Amino acid sequence: MRTAVYPGSFDPITLGHLNIIERAVDMFDSLVILLAINPGKQSLFSAEENTEMIREVTSAWPQVKIDQTHGLLVDYARKNDIHLAVRGLRAVTDFEAEFSMALTNRSLWEEFDTVYLMTSAEYMYLRSSTVKQIAEYGGDVSGFVPPNVAARLREKFVPGGE
Ligand code: ADP
């Protein structure tokens, strides 16, 4: 049984993340979407809200599990006997940070490896922080996030919500 973990902040989940998830579920028997909680990083949504939104958009896949960690990815992986991480690569600019993270993780646990999926072209410039900025200024985010996430963003930023 091949399990992979897809770690990230997912604050909130976007169509770019979902594209990686869709492709990863075809490659592995099971996929854990891991909300990596960084106390030093201010998030817009709570871990519970982000988990709920991820659950809503992945409910069609019984092989997808959602979990959270406050610690290191490799510690979580080792504890759960998961040897593979999946990450998405958008532009070349992602490469350097991802390369050093993959090497660092492998030096922390030599049995751990990372596989990269290239983003689909339409999501190349899509990141959660941009989506949050657009929503904050009342822009239309429906092309970037699933409908449930767009609704939550409206609730956050537009007085009276929905
Ligand atoms: P971000 O806040 O930049 O969206 P996350 O920590 O939530 O970053 O991202 C988790 C993983 O998903 C990372 O591997 C990231 O490169 C990937 N990812 C994020 N957005 C996209 C996208 N539009 N296309 C492909 N992969 C993406």
Side-chain angles (χ1 to χ4, degrees):
M1 170 114 167
R2 231 162 16 146
T3 301
V5 56
Y6 178 30
S9 335
F10 306 105
D11 182 45
I13 188 166
T14 68
L15 294 180
H17 295 128
L18 207 52
N19 174 258
I20 300 293
I21 295 168
E22 254 165 31
R23 291 155 62 196
V25 289
D26 283 342
M27 294 174 190
F28 305 101
D29 301 308
S30 85
L31 182 72
V32 179
I33 301 173
L34 186 66
L35 212 65
I37 299 162
N38 180 348
K41 218 165 133 184
Q42 179 78 31
S43 66
L44 174 66
F45 292 101
S46 68
E48 289 64 38
E49 289 174 312
N50 280 322
T51 301
E52 212 173 294
M53 286 184 270
I54 299 171
R55 186 170 298 122
E56 286 163 2
V57 295
T58 58
S59 59
W61 296 298
Q63 67 273 47
V64 168
K65 188 184 151 196
I66 306 155
D67 208 350
Q68 314 180 348
T69 182
H70 286 86
L72 287 176
L73 170 62
V74 283
D75 289 342
Y76 176 90
R78 207 193 309 244
K79 206 168 117 203
N80 291 280
D81 197 26
I82 300 172
H83 297 252
L84 266 184
V86 175
R87 297 278 292 175
L89 275 184
R90 280 164 294 210
V92 187
T93 43
D94 273 348
F95 179 81
E96 188 141 2
E98 290 294 336
F99 189 50
S100 87
M101 201 174 350
L103 291 186
T104 305
N105 284 336
R106 214 165 52 205
S107 74
L108 290 171
W109 186 26
E110 68 283 1
E111 290 176 35
F112 192 69
D113 224 329
T114 311
V115 294
Y116 289 94
L117 297 179
M118 300 292 171
T119 185
S120 295
E122 65 265 45
Y123 304 127
M124 191 157 161
Y125 297 106
L126 178 53
R127 56 184 66 241
S128 299
S129 54
T130 313
V131 169
K132 286 183 277 194
Q133 264 173 0
I134 297 171
E136 189 177 351
Y137 290 104
D140 178 15
V141 293
S142 59
F144 309 127
V145 293
N148 64 325
V149 177
R152 295 270 190 143
L153 282 164
R154 276 196 299 275
E155 281 167 31
K156 274 274 181 221
F157 290 117
V158 182
E162 278 297 270

